[in-house]
Amino acid sequence: MLVPVQAQAWEGQVWTGVGLSNTVAPAPSALGRWGPSLHLGANLQLGDFWKVGLDLGGSFHPTLEEEDERWESLLVTSVALEARYALDVFTYVPYLGLAGVVYPTGPSSERAPGGEALGLRASLGADYRQSRDRSLGLAFDLHAPLSAPQNFPLYVSARLYLAWHFRTF
């Protein structure tokens, strides 16, 4: 039987997930190029609603050929530091996040054909708290490059993840 427990500061969360990511450029159309992605992260709850987190992501976009054009395979990797506002008072925990992102190998844009180095990410997600120790989650991320914010969104992803929750103190 599940017993409600109030969220407390310093609760930790470690999560891992899979998803689909889309790099908008270079691509054969405005619909971009989709590819599989892997994600790993950790969050620390600072109070009733605020969390900070660090996560790693990577996606692979295979070579694509259409008529006379060829788009080489592309690997996008990211490291993000996120501030998250979560309504952790329900079985379903919706959240909004904003993160600064470093791309070791980034999505390309008009200003950075070799790949963007820095960007911002907005996230919208929800956790389904099966118990106090674990949850299932779904999140959508939109990325914008800092060098050319008019190229928003530059990169998008949808991910499903499994999270483990623990008390840190």
Side-chain angles (χ1 to χ4, degrees), residues 35-124:
S37 59
L38 295 173
H39 306 270
L40 177 66
N43 295 316
L44 180 62
Q45 186 142 353
L46 300 177
D48 289 339
F49 301 106
W50 286 100
K51 296 181 181 185
V52 294
L54 180 68
D55 61 76
L56 308 171
S59 65
F60 178 74
H61 306 271
T63 301
L64 184 61
E65 292 187 39
E66 282 190 9
E67 298 175 10
D68 313 5
E69 297 187 77
R70 177 181 170 91
W71 292 270
E72 295 298 325
S73 62
L74 180 64
L75 175 67
V76 177
T77 57
S78 63
V79 178
L81 180 61
E82 179 182 52
R84 181 181 290 185
Y85 184 79
L87 294 175
D88 196 356
V89 293
F90 309 108
T91 302
Y92 295 94
V93 181
Y95 65 85
L96 295 171
L98 184 62
V101 184
V102 174
Y103 302 103
T105 55
S108 57
S109 69
E110 294 170 7
R111 286 189 60 172
E116 289 290 341
L118 298 172
L120 292 175
R121 180 185 78 197
S123 298
L124 174 64

Side-chain angles (χ1 to χ4, degrees), residues 123-140:
S123 298
L124 174 64
D127 289 342
Y128 168 63
R129 293 294 293 258
Q130 298 173 302
S131 71
R132 206 57 180 133
D133 297 333
R134 70 182 174 278
S135 63
L136 294 172
L138 173 66
F140 299 97

Side-chain angles (χ1 to χ4, degrees), residues 19-23 27 31-36 59-62 64 156-158:
L20 283 175
S21 295
N22 185 357
T23 180
L31 297 178
R33 291 171 53 192
W34 290 95
S59 65
F60 178 74
H61 306 271
L64 184 61
V156 298
S157 63

Side-chain angles (χ1 to χ4, degrees), residues 123-169:
S123 298
L124 174 64
D127 289 342
Y128 168 63
R129 293 294 293 258
Q130 298 173 302
S131 71
R132 206 57 180 133
D133 297 333
R134 70 182 174 278
S135 63
L136 294 172
L138 173 66
F140 299 97
D141 303 319
L142 297 172
H143 294 247
L146 285 180
S147 63
Q150 71 274 15
N151 291 338
F152 177 77
L154 173 72
Y155 182 69
V156 298
S157 63
R159 55 188 153 92
L160 292 169
Y161 57 90
L162 179 60
W164 295 270
H165 304 262
F166 55 91
R167 300 267 186 242
T168 56
F169 298 102

